[in-house]
Amino acid sequence: MITLDLQSRAPIYEQLKNRISEMIALGLLEEDEQLPSVRSLARELGINPNTVQKAYQELERDGVLYSVTGKGSFVKSGESAAGRLRGEAKEQIRQALAQGKSVGITRAEATDLVRETWEDET
């Protein structure tokens, strides 16, 4: 269900946050659905429970999850997860454009690249 790349430079808790957000945005996890407990998910993934706890806490802070004392963590809304992913994607695009601009890529070249990429994906 959830896969992590232990060789990636991205922190494991960030990968976990992204996977959970993706699953919610895709409808694989529905609103008010309970997530696995911190300990059981940590055991299943072979990672430290503190890592899972950090991911859950940040997703709660971002409005993607909510917790019920004594019951666990639950999906708040698919819209908030999708919004989080869109926001991160926009920031990555901004950073890539800034980097491209700094090395001399023109607006026309960037626009052509966006158009080509967009058309290749559809």
Side-chain angles (χ1 to χ4, degrees):
M1 187 155 120
I2 295 176
T3 57
L4 302 173
D5 180 1
L6 302 179
Q7 304 302 318
S8 172
R9 287 183 164 182
I12 294 173
Y13 80 93
E14 279 288 340
Q15 292 182 49
L16 184 55
K17 281 175 50 179
N18 289 336
R19 296 305 165 273
I20 292 171
S21 292
E22 289 167 0
M23 292 172 69
I24 294 168
L26 293 171
L28 299 173
L29 293 172
E30 297 179 4
E31 191 168 342
D32 297 322
E33 185 172 339
Q34 185 172 10
L35 272 66
S37 72
V38 168
R39 287 183 185 181
S40 68
L41 186 57
R43 190 171 34 254
E44 178 183 323
L45 297 174
I47 60 176
N48 190 306
N50 292 333
T51 303
V52 176
Q53 183 63 36
K54 183 173 184 177
Y56 279 13
Q57 285 174 338
E58 289 201 9
L59 286 168
E60 187 172 344
R61 186 195 69 219
D62 293 345
V64 175
L65 301 180
Y66 67 93
S67 61
V68 177
T69 305
K71 299 279 186 186
S73 296
F74 297 82
V75 175
K76 189 169 188 180
S77 147
E79 291 176 22
S80 58
R84 179 183 170 280
L85 292 174
R86 279 192 301 271
E88 287 180 4
K90 286 179 182 180
E91 184 55 32
Q92 290 174 351
I93 292 168
R94 281 187 191 96
Q95 290 174 3
L97 288 171
Q99 181 181 12
K101 187 176 178 181
S102 73
V103 297
I105 293 177
T106 66
R107 179 184 293 218
E109 289 174 317
T111 301
D112 288 344
L113 183 57
V114 168
R115 187 177 300 110
E116 290 169 15
T117 303
W118 198 266
E119 290 170 0
D120 286 347
E121 293 297 317
T122 56

Short mmCIF file of all heavy atoms in Angstrom, two decimals, residues 3-34:
data_model
loop_
_atom_site.label_atom_id
_atom_site.label_comp_id
_atom_site.label_asym_id
_atom_site.label_seq_id
_atom_site.Cartn_x
_atom_site.Cartn_y
_atom_site.Cartn_z
N THR A 3 4.66 2.77 -0.12
CA THR A 3 6.05 2.41 -0.38
C THR A 3 6.92 3.63 -0.16
O THR A 3 6.54 4.76 -0.51
CB THR A 3 6.24 1.90 -1.83
OG1 THR A 3 5.78 2.90 -2.74
CG2 THR A 3 5.48 0.61 -2.05
N LEU A 4 8.07 3.40 0.42
CA LEU A 4 9.03 4.46 0.69
C LEU A 4 10.34 4.11 0.02
O LEU A 4 10.69 2.93 -0.10
CB LEU A 4 9.25 4.60 2.20
CG LEU A 4 8.01 4.91 3.04
CD1 LEU A 4 8.34 4.86 4.52
CD2 LEU A 4 7.42 6.26 2.67
N ASP A 5 11.07 5.13 -0.40
CA ASP A 5 12.38 4.92 -1.00
C ASP A 5 13.43 5.26 0.05
O ASP A 5 13.71 6.44 0.30
CB ASP A 5 12.54 5.82 -2.22
CG ASP A 5 13.89 5.66 -2.91
OD1 ASP A 5 14.71 4.84 -2.44
OD2 ASP A 5 14.11 6.37 -3.91
N LEU A 6 13.99 4.24 0.67
CA LEU A 6 14.95 4.44 1.74
C LEU A 6 16.28 4.99 1.23
O LEU A 6 17.10 5.45 2.02
CB LEU A 6 15.16 3.14 2.52
CG LEU A 6 13.88 2.55 3.14
CD1 LEU A 6 14.20 1.25 3.86
CD2 LEU A 6 13.22 3.54 4.08
N GLN A 7 16.49 4.95 -0.08
CA GLN A 7 17.71 5.49 -0.69
C GLN A 7 17.55 6.96 -1.10
O GLN A 7 18.53 7.61 -1.47
CB GLN A 7 18.11 4.66 -1.92
CG GLN A 7 18.27 3.19 -1.64
CD GLN A 7 19.32 2.89 -0.58
OE1 GLN A 7 20.38 3.49 -0.57
NE2 GLN A 7 18.99 1.98 0.33
N SER A 8 16.33 7.47 -1.04
CA SER A 8 16.05 8.84 -1.46
C SER A 8 16.66 9.86 -0.51
O SER A 8 16.84 9.59 0.68
CB SER A 8 14.53 9.05 -1.52
OG SER A 8 14.22 10.40 -1.75
N ARG A 9 16.95 11.03 -1.05
CA ARG A 9 17.43 12.13 -0.21
C ARG A 9 16.29 12.74 0.60
O ARG A 9 16.53 13.42 1.60
CB ARG A 9 18.05 13.23 -1.07
CG ARG A 9 19.37 12.86 -1.64
CD ARG A 9 19.93 14.02 -2.42
NE ARG A 9 21.33 13.84 -2.66
CZ ARG A 9 22.09 14.70 -3.27
NH1 ARG A 9 21.56 15.82 -3.71
NH2 ARG A 9 23.37 14.46 -3.46
N ALA A 10 15.06 12.55 0.15
CA ALA A 10 13.90 13.11 0.85
C ALA A 10 13.73 12.39 2.19
O ALA A 10 13.82 11.16 2.26
CB ALA A 10 12.65 12.94 0.01
N PRO A 11 13.49 13.16 3.25
CA PRO A 11 13.27 12.52 4.56
C PRO A 11 12.10 11.54 4.51
O PRO A 11 11.13 11.75 3.78
CB PRO A 11 12.94 13.70 5.48
CG PRO A 11 13.48 14.90 4.79
CD PRO A 11 13.40 14.61 3.32
N ILE A 12 12.21 10.49 5.28
CA ILE A 12 11.18 9.44 5.27
C ILE A 12 9.82 10.00 5.68
O ILE A 12 8.81 9.66 5.09
CB ILE A 12 11.60 8.26 6.17
CG1 ILE A 12 12.83 7.58 5.56
CG2 ILE A 12 10.47 7.25 6.33
CD1 ILE A 12 13.45 6.51 6.41
N TYR A 13 9.79 10.89 6.69
CA TYR A 13 8.50 11.43 7.12
C TYR A 13 7.86 12.25 6.00
O TYR A 13 6.64 12.24 5.84
CB TYR A 13 8.63 12.24 8.41
CG TYR A 13 9.15 13.65 8.24
CD1 TYR A 13 8.27 14.70 8.09
CD2 TYR A 13 10.50 13.92 8.22
CE1 TYR A 13 8.73 16.00 7.92
CE2 TYR A 13 10.99 15.19 8.06
CZ TYR A 13 10.09 16.24 7.91
OH TYR A 13 10.55 17.51 7.74
N GLU A 14 8.67 12.95 5.17
CA GLU A 14 8.14 13.72 4.04
C GLU A 14 7.57 12.77 2.99
O GLU A 14 6.51 13.03 2.43
CB GLU A 14 9.23 14.58 3.42
CG GLU A 14 9.50 15.87 4.14
CD GLU A 14 8.41 16.91 3.99
OE1 GLU A 14 7.59 16.82 3.04
OE2 GLU A 14 8.37 17.81 4.84
N GLN A 15 8.29 11.69 2.72
CA GLN A 15 7.80 10.70 1.77
C GLN A 15 6.47 10.13 2.25
O GLN A 15 5.53 9.98 1.46
CB GLN A 15 8.80 9.57 1.61
CG GLN A 15 10.09 9.95 0.92
CD GLN A 15 10.99 8.74 0.77
OE1 GLN A 15 10.56 7.68 0.31
NE2 GLN A 15 12.24 8.89 1.16
N LEU A 16 6.39 9.84 3.53
CA LEU A 16 5.16 9.28 4.10
C LEU A 16 4.02 10.28 4.00
O LEU A 16 2.90 9.91 3.60
CB LEU A 16 5.40 8.86 5.56
CG LEU A 16 4.26 8.17 6.27
CD1 LEU A 16 3.78 6.94 5.50
CD2 LEU A 16 4.68 7.78 7.68
N LYS A 17 4.28 11.54 4.32
CA LYS A 17 3.26 12.59 4.18
C LYS A 17 2.76 12.65 2.75
O LYS A 17 1.54 12.71 2.51
CB LYS A 17 3.84 13.96 4.55
CG LYS A 17 3.96 14.25 6.00
CD LYS A 17 4.66 15.58 6.27
CE LYS A 17 4.09 16.72 5.48
NZ LYS A 17 4.76 18.00 5.77
N ASN A 18 3.68 12.63 1.79
CA ASN A 18 3.29 12.72 0.39
C ASN A 18 2.48 11.50 -0.05
O ASN A 18 1.50 11.65 -0.78
CB ASN A 18 4.52 12.91 -0.50
CG ASN A 18 5.14 14.27 -0.34
OD1 ASN A 18 4.48 15.23 0.05
ND2 ASN A 18 6.42 14.38 -0.62
N ARG A 19 2.88 10.31 0.37
CA ARG A 19 2.15 9.10 -0.03
C ARG A 19 0.73 9.13 0.53
O ARG A 19 -0.23 8.80 -0.17
CB ARG A 19 2.85 7.83 0.44
CG ARG A 19 4.19 7.54 -0.13
CD ARG A 19 4.26 7.50 -1.65
NE ARG A 19 5.63 7.56 -2.10
CZ ARG A 19 6.31 8.70 -2.31
NH1 ARG A 19 5.75 9.86 -2.15
NH2 ARG A 19 7.56 8.67 -2.71
N ILE A 20 0.58 9.52 1.80
CA ILE A 20 -0.75 9.58 2.40
C ILE A 20 -1.59 10.63 1.69
O ILE A 20 -2.75 10.39 1.36
CB ILE A 20 -0.65 9.84 3.92
CG1 ILE A 20 -0.04 8.62 4.62
CG2 ILE A 20 -2.02 10.17 4.50
CD1 ILE A 20 0.31 8.83 6.08
N SER A 21 -1.01 11.79 1.42
CA SER A 21 -1.74 12.85 0.71
C SER A 21 -2.17 12.39 -0.67
O SER A 21 -3.30 12.65 -1.11
CB SER A 21 -0.87 14.11 0.58
OG SER A 21 -0.66 14.70 1.84
N GLU A 22 -1.27 11.69 -1.39
CA GLU A 22 -1.61 11.17 -2.71
C GLU A 22 -2.76 10.18 -2.63
O GLU A 22 -3.67 10.21 -3.46
CB GLU A 22 -0.39 10.50 -3.34
CG GLU A 22 0.70 11.47 -3.76
CD GLU A 22 2.01 10.79 -4.11
OE1 GLU A 22 2.11 9.54 -4.03
OE2 GLU A 22 2.97 11.52 -4.43
N MET A 23 -2.70 9.30 -1.64
CA MET A 23 -3.76 8.29 -1.50
C MET A 23 -5.11 8.95 -1.22
O MET A 23 -6.13 8.51 -1.73
CB MET A 23 -3.39 7.31 -0.38
CG MET A 23 -2.20 6.43 -0.74
SD MET A 23 -1.63 5.43 0.65
CE MET A 23 -3.00 4.29 0.81
N ILE A 24 -5.10 10.01 -0.44
CA ILE A 24 -6.34 10.73 -0.14
C ILE A 24 -6.83 11.44 -1.39
O ILE A 24 -8.01 11.36 -1.75
CB ILE A 24 -6.13 11.72 1.02
CG1 ILE A 24 -5.83 10.97 2.32
CG2 ILE A 24 -7.36 12.61 1.19
CD1 ILE A 24 -5.34 11.84 3.46
N ALA A 25 -5.93 12.14 -2.08
CA ALA A 25 -6.31 12.88 -3.29
C ALA A 25 -6.85 11.96 -4.37
O ALA A 25 -7.75 12.34 -5.13
CB ALA A 25 -5.10 13.67 -3.81
N LEU A 26 -6.33 10.74 -4.44
CA LEU A 26 -6.79 9.77 -5.44
C LEU A 26 -8.05 9.01 -5.01
O LEU A 26 -8.59 8.22 -5.76
CB LEU A 26 -5.68 8.76 -5.75
CG LEU A 26 -4.45 9.32 -6.46
CD1 LEU A 26 -3.34 8.28 -6.50
CD2 LEU A 26 -4.82 9.77 -7.87
N GLY A 27 -8.49 9.25 -3.78
CA GLY A 27 -9.69 8.59 -3.30
C GLY A 27 -9.45 7.20 -2.74
O GLY A 27 -10.40 6.47 -2.47
N LEU A 28 -8.19 6.83 -2.56
CA LEU A 28 -7.88 5.52 -1.99
C LEU A 28 -8.14 5.50 -0.49
O LEU A 28 -8.37 4.44 0.09
CB LEU A 28 -6.43 5.14 -2.28
CG LEU A 28 -6.06 5.03 -3.76
CD1 LEU A 28 -4.57 4.82 -3.93
CD2 LEU A 28 -6.85 3.91 -4.42
N LEU A 29 -8.05 6.67 0.12
CA LEU A 29 -8.44 6.84 1.52
C LEU A 29 -9.57 7.86 1.53
O LEU A 29 -9.44 8.94 0.97
CB LEU A 29 -7.27 7.36 2.37
CG LEU A 29 -6.09 6.43 2.55
CD1 LEU A 29 -4.93 7.15 3.24
CD2 LEU A 29 -6.49 5.22 3.38
N GLU A 30 -10.68 7.50 2.13
CA GLU A 30 -11.85 8.36 2.10
C GLU A 30 -11.97 9.20 3.36
O GLU A 30 -11.37 8.89 4.40
CB GLU A 30 -13.10 7.50 1.92
CG GLU A 30 -13.10 6.75 0.60
CD GLU A 30 -14.33 5.88 0.43
OE1 GLU A 30 -15.23 5.92 1.30
OE2 GLU A 30 -14.39 5.18 -0.59
N GLU A 31 -12.76 10.25 3.25
CA GLU A 31 -13.00 11.13 4.39
C GLU A 31 -13.51 10.33 5.59
O GLU A 31 -14.33 9.42 5.43
CB GLU A 31 -14.03 12.20 4.00
CG GLU A 31 -14.14 13.31 5.00
CD GLU A 31 -14.92 14.50 4.48
OE1 GLU A 31 -15.10 14.62 3.25
OE2 GLU A 31 -15.36 15.30 5.31
N ASP A 32 -12.97 10.64 6.74
CA ASP A 32 -13.30 10.00 8.02
C ASP A 32 -12.79 8.56 8.14
O ASP A 32 -13.11 7.87 9.11
CB ASP A 32 -14.80 10.05 8.33
CG ASP A 32 -15.30 11.46 8.49
OD1 ASP A 32 -14.57 12.30 9.06
OD2 ASP A 32 -16.43 11.76 8.03
N GLU A 33 -12.00 8.10 7.18
CA GLU A 33 -11.42 6.76 7.27
C GLU A 33 -10.25 6.80 8.26
O GLU A 33 -9.44 7.72 8.27
CB GLU A 33 -10.92 6.30 5.91
CG GLU A 33 -10.40 4.88 5.89
CD GLU A 33 -10.08 4.37 4.50
OE1 GLU A 33 -10.60 4.92 3.52
OE2 GLU A 33 -9.30 3.42 4.41
N GLN A 34 -10.18 5.77 9.08
CA GLN A 34 -9.12 5.70 10.08
C GLN A 34 -7.84 5.19 9.45
O GLN A 34 -7.84 4.23 8.68
CB GLN A 34 -9.52 4.79 11.24
CG GLN A 34 -8.51 4.78 12.36
CD GLN A 34 -9.00 4.02 13.57
OE1 GLN A 34 -10.03 3.34 13.53
NE2 GLN A 34 -8.26 4.12 14.66
#
